[in-house]
Amino acid sequence: RMLSSYKPKNDIKDSYKILELEEGCSLDDVRNSYCNLAKKYHPDSSSGMADSKAFIRVEKAYRVVLNDLGAKQKSEPGEEEEDQFKSKSLQHRHYLSFEGVGIGTPSQREKQYMQFRVDRATEQVLEYRQQRLESRYAGSDLSRAKDVRQSKKVKITQAVERLVEDLIQESMAKGDFDNLSGKGKPLQKFSDSPHIDPMTHNLNRILIDNGYQPEWILLQKEIRETITRLRSSIVASRRKLGEPMTLSEQKQWGRICEQFAEDIRKLNKRVDNFNLVVPILSRQMVHFSPDKEILRARKTYEAVMEKVSDSDTKENEGEEGKRFGWKSSLLKWLKL
């Protein structure tokens, strides 16, 4: 080994020269120099100085220098003392086992750990049984409560039915049903069409007579009322600001338009809900555009202002006619 690891001093010096280093340099310097020279001479590199033979020389010099630095570090006295201390240090790996349970020798700690595992397993079994019993009794209590609620509902419905039947019999005994229109006559069919189920038709007729309306009709009515209210409110807000608008009034008008656009967005969500429940495709509605609605409000405001100005001019003309009417009549009388 000594003969194989021996390197003459001339080879070591040449290696340092090849790596462009001096003796006594650090390991980082050696690595950085080797990386730079490898990028320079490697045959796969794109540099113009690429040479395989030069790269082989650099690699051999790098190995020689590394061996030399390793031999120098081993020969330092501080390292030998540190190695001796490391070899004499105690091994604490066995104290990290058994989840840190127990004291004493490893065999004693192993026995204590086995007993600890047995105790922990028994506690877990007891907790599991307790949870099962609690869940079982809780489920039985819930089922009993449900049964009691259902029985109460049945009793209440039966009592209401008996009460209604007693009231009907009592009113019949008093003769409240004697003066009803159509007494003793057969029931008239609401529809003469043989293709319509009479029971379904009668039920629908009863619902209509009592004011029942499907959900999509109510939604349609609500949407129309909402868009009418929004249109009138934005026109009224524009009339309050007046013409022409100042800078503060323009900012206020911008806030009003933003709130109006938010209200239109909420209304479009209702339109989506309406389109999902409406049974006829031709009755579906389209979304309302905030920009178009604001433009429409402006046109409505302009039309209203034109009507107001026309009415004012007519009133002024009427007042002027009343003022000068007696003079014209006097002139006419004098001429006659």
Side-chain angles (χ1 to χ4, degrees):
R1 286 179 187 172
M2 290 174 65
L3 291 173
S4 63
S5 62
Y6 173 74
K7 296 288 183 182
K9 292 184 178 181
N10 294 329
D11 294 342
I12 296 172
K13 289 181 180 180
D14 294 338
S15 299
Y16 276 104
K17 288 180 181 180
I18 292 170
L19 293 177
E20 299 177 357
L21 296 171
E22 296 180 357
E23 294 185 7
C25 61
S26 63
L27 184 61
D28 293 333
D29 296 336
V30 175
R31 289 174 179 171
N32 293 330
S33 178
Y34 171 71
C35 290
N36 294 329
L37 293 173
K39 292 177 182 178
K40 192 175 181 181
Y41 296 116
H42 198 279
D44 294 336
S45 64
S46 59
S47 65
M49 301 177 66
D51 188 3
S52 60
K53 294 181 180 180
F55 176 72
I56 292 171
R57 287 197 302 270
V58 169
E59 189 175 3
K60 288 181 180 179
Y62 176 64
R63 292 178 183 176
V64 171
V65 172
L66 285 180
N67 292 331
D68 183 51
L69 290 176
K72 287 180 180 179
Q73 288 179 359
K74 288 180 180 179
S75 63
E76 293 180 0
E79 294 290 336
E80 293 178 356
E81 293 177 359
E82 188 176 356
D83 293 339
Q84 291 176 2
F85 179 75
K86 285 182 179 178
S87 63
K88 293 180 181 178
S89 62
L90 295 175
Q91 301 296 325
H92 299 279
R93 185 176 296 173
H94 61 278
Y95 289 103
L96 300 176
S97 59
F98 308 126
E99 299 180 13
V101 177
I103 56 174
T105 62
S107 60
Q108 293 175 353
R109 296 181 70 249
E110 185 177 2
K111 292 179 181 179
Q112 295 172 11
Y113 178 66
M114 294 298 292
Q115 185 64 34
F116 169 74
R117 289 184 64 187
V118 171
D119 296 339
R120 185 171 61 183
T122 53
E123 290 179 0
Q124 291 177 356
V125 169
L126 291 174
E127 289 178 358
Y128 175 71
R129 290 179 178 177
Q130 184 179 0
Q131 291 176 0
R132 284 190 63 186
L133 292 173
E134 288 177 356
S135 62
R136 185 183 301 173
Y137 284 113
S140 61
D141 294 338
L142 289 173
S143 61
R144 290 176 184 174
K146 289 180 181 179
D147 295 337
V148 170
R149 290 173 188 171
Q150 290 179 357
S151 62
K152 285 183 179 180
K153 287 182 180 179
V154 170
K155 290 180 181 178
I156 290 170
T157 53
Q158 290 178 355
V160 170
E161 290 177 356
R162 287 197 299 270
L163 178 61
V164 171
E165 187 66 26
D166 293 340
L167 292 173
I168 291 172
Q169 294 295 331
E170 184 179 356
S171 60
M172 288 175 66
K174 290 180 180 179
D176 295 336
F177 295 156
D178 294 339
N179 297 325
L180 294 177
S181 60
K183 179 183 178 182
K185 298 180 181 179
L187 293 174
Q188 294 180 358
K189 292 184 179 181
F190 294 124
S191 177
D192 297 331
S193 177
H195 305 290
I196 298 176
D197 183 17
M199 181 61 69
T200 304
H201 191 274
N202 293 343
L203 289 175
N204 291 335
R205 184 65 180 272
I206 291 169
L207 291 173
I208 292 169
D209 292 341
N210 288 276
Y212 172 76
Q213 292 180 349
E215 183 182 2
W216 65 274
I217 292 179
L218 296 175
L219 279 173
Q220 187 180 24
K221 185 178 179 181
E222 183 182 358
I223 290 168
R224 288 176 178 174
E225 291 177 353
T226 304
I227 191 62
T228 304
R229 177 175 55 80
L230 291 175
R231 287 170 178 170
S232 60
S233 65
I234 193 170
V235 172
S237 300
R238 182 65 186 86
R239 290 185 66 182
K240 288 180 181 178
L241 296 176
E243 188 69 28
M245 291 188 294
T246 61
L247 185 60
S248 60
E249 290 176 347
Q250 289 178 1
K251 292 181 180 179
Q252 186 177 358
W253 173 247
R255 290 193 294 269
I256 291 170
C257 291
E258 290 178 358
Q259 184 62 36
F260 180 76
E262 181 65 21
D263 295 336
I264 291 294
R265 187 181 63 81
K266 295 178 181 178
L267 183 62
N268 288 332
K269 288 185 178 179
R270 297 184 188 176
V271 171
D272 293 336
N273 296 332
F274 169 77
N275 292 334
L276 290 175
V277 298
V278 65
I280 305 170
L281 292 176
S282 60
R283 293 293 185 91
Q284 288 189 345
M285 304 175 68
V286 296
H287 284 184
F288 296 97
S289 176
D291 298 333
K292 291 182 180 180
E293 293 296 333
I294 292 171
L295 183 61
R296 179 176 180 176
R298 288 178 180 175
K299 291 181 179 179
T300 305
Y301 167 73
E302 292 174 357
V304 170
M305 294 304 294
E306 287 180 359
K307 289 181 180 179
V308 170
S309 62
D310 293 339
S311 62
D312 292 339
T313 53
K314 288 180 180 179
E315 289 179 358
N316 293 330
E317 290 176 357
E319 289 178 357
E320 290 178 355
K322 289 179 180 178
R323 288 177 186 176
F324 301 102
W326 64 274
K327 294 182 180 180
S328 60
S329 60
L330 179 60
L331 291 171
K332 289 180 180 179
W333 181 75
L334 290 172
K335 288 179 179 179
L336 291 171

